[in-house]
Structures are given as C-alpha cells and as structure tokens.
C-alpha cells in the first residue's frame, strides 16, 4: 500500500516500511521496529542504533498505517 503525505510517500509491505521523501531521501524500517505516538501524529522507527521519526499530516494517515501493518 502507498500513502501519500505532504513530504512524500509511505510504502507499506507486510515486513517493511519505506518512507520516500520528496528530497530523494529514503528511510527504511522493519515493521517490528515501528511505533506510534498518536497524540503527536508521529511514526517512529527505533532499531537500536538507527532511529528516525516522521510527522504525519493527519490522524487518518496514522490510523491507515496502523491498520495496514496490523498494529493496534
């Protein structure tokens, strides 16, 4: 599934999340390394030594990503 947001696209697969930013930067994380901070509309990847976070445009995007990844 592909979700477009103001800074690029989020590509979701059963095992991986890819964020393709408009500035040609790509971020990758395994699904098990993804967490969410719902109040701040943040998707957070934390794989130990590598971390990134992404501010989503709206709660609908966050809920859509969580549903697609099977995260409650």
């Amino acid at each position: 599934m592909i979700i477009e947001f103001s800074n690029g696209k989020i590509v979701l697969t059963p095992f991986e999340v890819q964020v393709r930013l408009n500035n040609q930067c790509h971020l990758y994380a395994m699904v098990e390394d993804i967490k969410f901070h719902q109040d701040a509309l943040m998707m957070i990847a934390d794989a130990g030594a590598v971390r990134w976070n992404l501010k989503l445009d709206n709660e609908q995007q966050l809920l859509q990503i969580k549903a697609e990844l099977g995260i409650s």
Side-chain angles (χ1 to χ4, degrees), residues 11-18 28-36 43-48 50-52 65-66 68-72:
V11 181
L12 306 169
T13 71
F15 306 104
E16 182 179 62
V17 174
Q18 298 178 20
Y28 299 87
M30 301 303 292
V31 169
E32 60 265 14
D33 296 326
I34 297 291
K35 296 179 180 114
F36 296 91
M43 180 170 62
I44 303 157
D46 185 353
V50 177
R51 282 185 219 169
W52 53 262
I65 293 168
K66 288 175 76 171
E68 183 68 24
L69 297 180
I71 298 172
S72 55

Side-chain angles (χ1 to χ4, degrees), residues 38-57:
Q38 191 144 350
D39 293 338
L41 299 176
M42 299 290 291
M43 180 170 62
I44 303 157
D46 185 353
V50 177
R51 282 185 219 169
W52 53 262
N53 61 61
L54 180 69
K55 173 86 169 144
L56 299 169
D57 297 331

Side-chain angles (χ1 to χ4, degrees), residues 11-28:
V11 181
L12 306 169
T13 71
F15 306 104
E16 182 179 62
V17 174
Q18 298 178 20
V19 178
R20 298 177 184 175
L21 299 173
N22 292 334
N23 66 0
Q24 303 303 314
C25 181
H26 295 176
L27 307 171
Y28 299 87

